[in-house]
Amino acid sequence: MIKPSDASIWASCIRRVWLDKHQVGQVNVEISDFDQLLRDSGLEHETAVLAKLQQQYDVHKAHSMEHTRELMQQNVPVIYQGRLLDELHGLIGYPDFLILHESGGYQAADAKLSHSANKKGIQIQLGLYRRILNNQLPALVFLGDGNTAAIGDEVDSLVDKFIIAMQALLVMDVQPAVRYSHSKCRICPYFEQCTPEFEANEDISLIYGIHGNSANHLATAGLSTITQLANSCVEAIPDVPYLKGHKKKHHAILQAKAYQTGEIYQLNDIILPEGMWIHFDIEDNPLTPTRERHVYLWGLLTAPYSRDDFDYIWTDDETRDYQGWVNFLEKISSYRAQYSTLVLAHYSNHERTTIRKYAERYAMKDHATVVWLLGNNSPLFDMQKTVVDNLILPLQGYGLKDICKHKDLVNFQWQDEDSGSQWSVVQFSRFLATTDPHEKLKLKNEILGYNRDDVMATRRLEEWLRSINASEIRAIKEMN
Ligand code: SF4
């Protein structure tokens, strides 16, 4: 049978659906703490939607497919956890709600944490409910931000494509050929099963910057292995999706060489801004009741950059959100007064985006410190952009941990091996939930320790960038 819940996996990787359906391979399906937190938050959201509907309508819980059919025949206003079946087409569905419309038909509805219904998985899922219900009424999505979205005929072609593809996958004897995706594969339970095959084939999708679709087109043009790509020249690579123009092709060739040899390629001189560097990293929680991200920790590392130089603003919960933001601005303002030239170094664009969103949230775009932080002479300095623009590294991803933990690159190790941004959100949710003051303090210290390691890592990255600029390491070749 095809389930609507197959949709998001299918949209991510068709091999994963095939492996799931054919139950091939040893899979560790242990759910991560973060995924469990997401599930719990999803259930809380569904319960909140249920409570609202119960205030307006008579809501009946369904216990089986037959019971759902009976309740629909009785025209009950809202059916909770209904079960739908289309035996002819092999479709089953479990919409959170079935809502009786004035026309006499039922509308399927799901509660989703997402702020948008414009996601393939959601569209197919809700489209399938409509297909099983076989009426013209749009399906509804009760979004995490409190809005409601409608999904109608516009997704029919996508639903058709999904059903046809799934029917083919269900009868397929061998696993479908797919490409490697660093973002999807490394968090997939079949990672250990699939990766050896990609590596044995020297699949070019293993290379950073080579999208699966690009790899398919390149293979058609006779370029299918990492060795072929590494030995290629820009002129020999055709224009394919996501890989057009001299610069991208040149980088792809160097990336393939770096993958094979472990070497670093420097594209340009790395220019780091002058001034007093302060390293900056935030921890935020997306799972607030309002679904507005709450920054619970604004972390900073000041000179001389030892563990004792870690500075921060912490807020115990989202009710202190505004105070935390104002305290952050005050701290930045005091640094500005202290140092004639300040560099606020962070990794990725997230910190700048968050400052902009907070300024909008609290109508403070004209605040002097905000104007300075986001203006033309901003002290904010994104180190990831500098790395990506100037270096080709023997990596499959350019995240802070990818670069810093690599023994031949920055070689900085976090004290807590398991820590990470999702780990931090889980720890913070435990901090919120516990009433035990000792446990609270322990969790807070763990989160602070992780954030301190993050800013120490960006400091080590800064030092590493300065060292490779100043040194004559043979592995670094100027190829531009
Ligand atoms: S490891 Fe990658 S290719 Fe294999 S099933 Fe998972 S997502 Fe698909």
Side-chain angles (χ1 to χ4, degrees):
M1 300 297 280
I2 300 170
K3 301 193 300 270
S5 57
D6 296 329
S8 53
I9 300 175
W10 175 81
S12 167
C13 176
I14 56 168
R15 180 181 289 180
R16 187 166 169 182
V17 186
W18 187 90
L19 291 168
D20 279 350
K21 292 287 181 190
H22 291 77
Q23 300 192 330
V24 174
Q26 298 291 313
V27 176
N28 177 11
V29 286
E30 207 175 289
I31 185 165
S32 74
D33 288 341
F34 184 73
D35 284 340
Q36 188 57 51
L37 184 64
L38 278 181
R39 282 189 191 185
D40 293 345
S41 300
L43 272 178
E44 268 174 38
H45 176 50
E46 183 184 311
T47 307
V49 173
L50 172 64
K52 266 192 191 167
L53 289 171
Q54 281 171 326
Q55 285 169 6
Q56 286 176 272
Y57 306 104
D58 192 13
V59 178
H60 293 246
K61 184 171 176 176
H63 303 294
S64 63
M65 286 182 186
E66 295 69 34
H67 189 215
T68 305
R69 261 197 300 271
E70 279 168 29
L71 291 171
M72 289 172 84
Q73 278 159 9
Q74 290 164 21
N75 282 337
V76 304
V78 176
I79 301 167
Y80 177 49
Q81 293 183 343
R83 300 174 203 188
L84 302 173
L85 172 69
D86 175 347
E87 241 168 326
L88 186 63
H89 298 100
L91 307 175
I92 49 178
Y94 307 102
D96 294 336
F97 306 100
L98 288 164
I99 300 170
L100 185 63
H101 188 261
E102 57 192 18
S103 64
Y106 274 93
Q107 273 183 295
D110 263 1
K112 299 281 184 201
L113 279 180
S114 168
H115 289 197
S116 164
N118 200 19
K119 291 182 178 166
K120 241 187 188 177
I122 293 179
Q123 292 182 335
I124 296 171
Q125 192 165 0
L126 275 291
L128 271 181
Y129 297 152
R130 291 187 73 237
R131 192 62 60 91
I132 303 173
L133 285 166
N134 195 22
N135 65 31
Q136 294 304 307
L137 296 168
L140 302 174
V141 190
F142 299 117
L143 297 166
D145 61 3
N147 291 318
T148 302
I151 290 180
D153 296 347
E154 71 281 2
V155 301
D156 280 355
S157 59
L158 182 60
V159 173
D160 288 339
K161 195 174 157 195
F162 168 71
I163 293 173
I164 292 167
M166 283 299 296
Q167 284 167 341
L169 282 170
L170 288 174
V171 295
M172 204 179 263
D173 290 335
V174 291
Q175 64 181 16
V178 291
R179 297 290 181 178
Y180 179 79
S181 158
H182 193 57
S183 59
K184 292 169 188 168
C185 293
R186 71 197 161 131
I187 54 165
C188 174
Y190 297 104
F191 179 78
E192 302 290 342
Q193 202 167 318
C194 292
T195 311
E197 175 204 323
F198 293 126
E199 288 174 349
N201 293 340
E202 278 199 50
D203 195 303
I204 50 174
S205 58
L206 287 165
I207 298 300
Y208 174 80
I210 302 288
H211 189 275
N213 201 3
S214 319
N216 290 339
H217 281 81
L218 290 175
T220 308
L223 201 59
S224 54
T225 69
I226 294 171
T227 300
Q228 285 176 320
L229 180 60
N231 295 334
S232 193
C233 61
V234 168
E235 292 70 29
I237 300 176
D239 271 356
V240 297
Y242 308 106
L243 192 66
K244 292 190 170 90
H246 184 280
K247 191 175 166 188
K248 278 192 176 176
K249 292 175 187 175
H250 177 55
H251 288 190
I253 293 168
L254 292 181
Q255 200 64 64
K257 287 180 193 286
Y259 180 92
Q260 285 189 318
T261 63
E263 286 183 321
I264 299 165
Y265 295 91
Q266 186 165 353
L267 301 165
N268 313 290
D269 280 342
I270 298 167
I271 298 165
L272 299 176
E274 299 290 329
M276 175 55 74
W277 279 54
I278 292 179
H279 290 264
F280 169 43
D281 181 58
I282 61 170
E283 305 299 330
D284 56 3
N285 179 19
L287 302 173
T288 63
T290 59
R291 301 285 171 253
E292 278 200 305
R293 280 180 175 268
H294 162 60
V295 177
Y296 49 91
L297 176 55
W298 307 79
L300 301 146
L301 185 71
T302 57
Y305 312 111
S306 75
R307 292 194 167 272
D308 297 336
D309 301 307
F310 178 58
D311 200 0
Y312 63 88
I313 291 113
W314 170 273
T315 51
D316 273 352
D317 60 46
E318 56 270 11
T319 63
R320 306 265 306 152
D321 188 68
Y322 174 71
Q323 197 53 52
W325 161 242
V326 169
N327 290 350
F328 165 71
L329 291 178
E330 281 171 4
K331 189 163 283 284
I332 295 299
S333 173
S334 75
Y335 288 146
R336 190 183 180 188
Q338 211 174 332
Y339 305 111
S340 57
T341 317
L342 187 65
V343 178
L344 265 181
H346 52 98
Y347 198 85
S348 94
N349 203 30
H350 185 54
E351 276 69 22
R352 179 184 283 272
T353 306
T354 301
I355 289 171
R356 201 184 62 242
K357 284 190 175 158
Y358 263 72
E360 285 165 8
R361 183 181 302 173
Y362 294 114
M364 290 171 71
K365 282 198 275 188
D366 296 331
H367 186 284
T369 305
V370 172
V371 171
W372 179 60
L373 283 170
L374 300 178
N376 291 338
N377 296 317
S378 171
L380 292 168
F381 177 65
D382 180 0
M383 298 181 76
Q384 186 180 42
K385 185 170 181 337
T386 293
V387 169
V388 172
D389 285 351
N390 298 304
L391 293 172
I392 300 288
L393 303 174
L395 296 170
Q396 289 178 290
Y398 280 70
L400 181 63
K401 282 196 168 176
D402 294 317
I403 297 174
C404 291
K405 288 179 92 170
H406 197 295
K407 295 266 189 298
D408 299 328
L409 303 177
V410 180
N411 192 16
F412 173 83
Q413 308 307 323
W414 275 250
Q415 285 198 331
D416 188 334
E417 264 290 305
D418 297 331
S419 62
S421 54
Q422 292 188 348
W423 170 94
S424 177
V425 172
V426 171
Q427 299 306 91
F428 186 68
S429 82
R430 289 175 179 158
F431 171 89
L432 291 176
T434 185
T435 51
D436 177 347
H438 297 294
E439 181 65 9
K440 249 191 184 340
L441 187 61
K442 178 175 162 283
L443 288 162
K444 179 176 172 179
N445 284 335
E446 284 174 3
I447 297 168
L448 290 174
Y450 161 63
N451 185 261
R452 185 181 54 213
D453 273 354
D454 268 0
V455 282
M456 291 201 68
T458 58
R459 166 62 183 169
R460 291 291 183 81
L461 175 60
E462 178 206 338
E463 290 175 329
W464 182 75
L465 290 172
R466 290 187 193 284
S467 77
I468 61 169
N469 244 356
S471 73
E472 291 177 12
I473 299 171
R474 291 168 71 90
I476 297 173
K477 297 175 182 172
E478 304 226 4
M479 301 275 297
N480 251 0

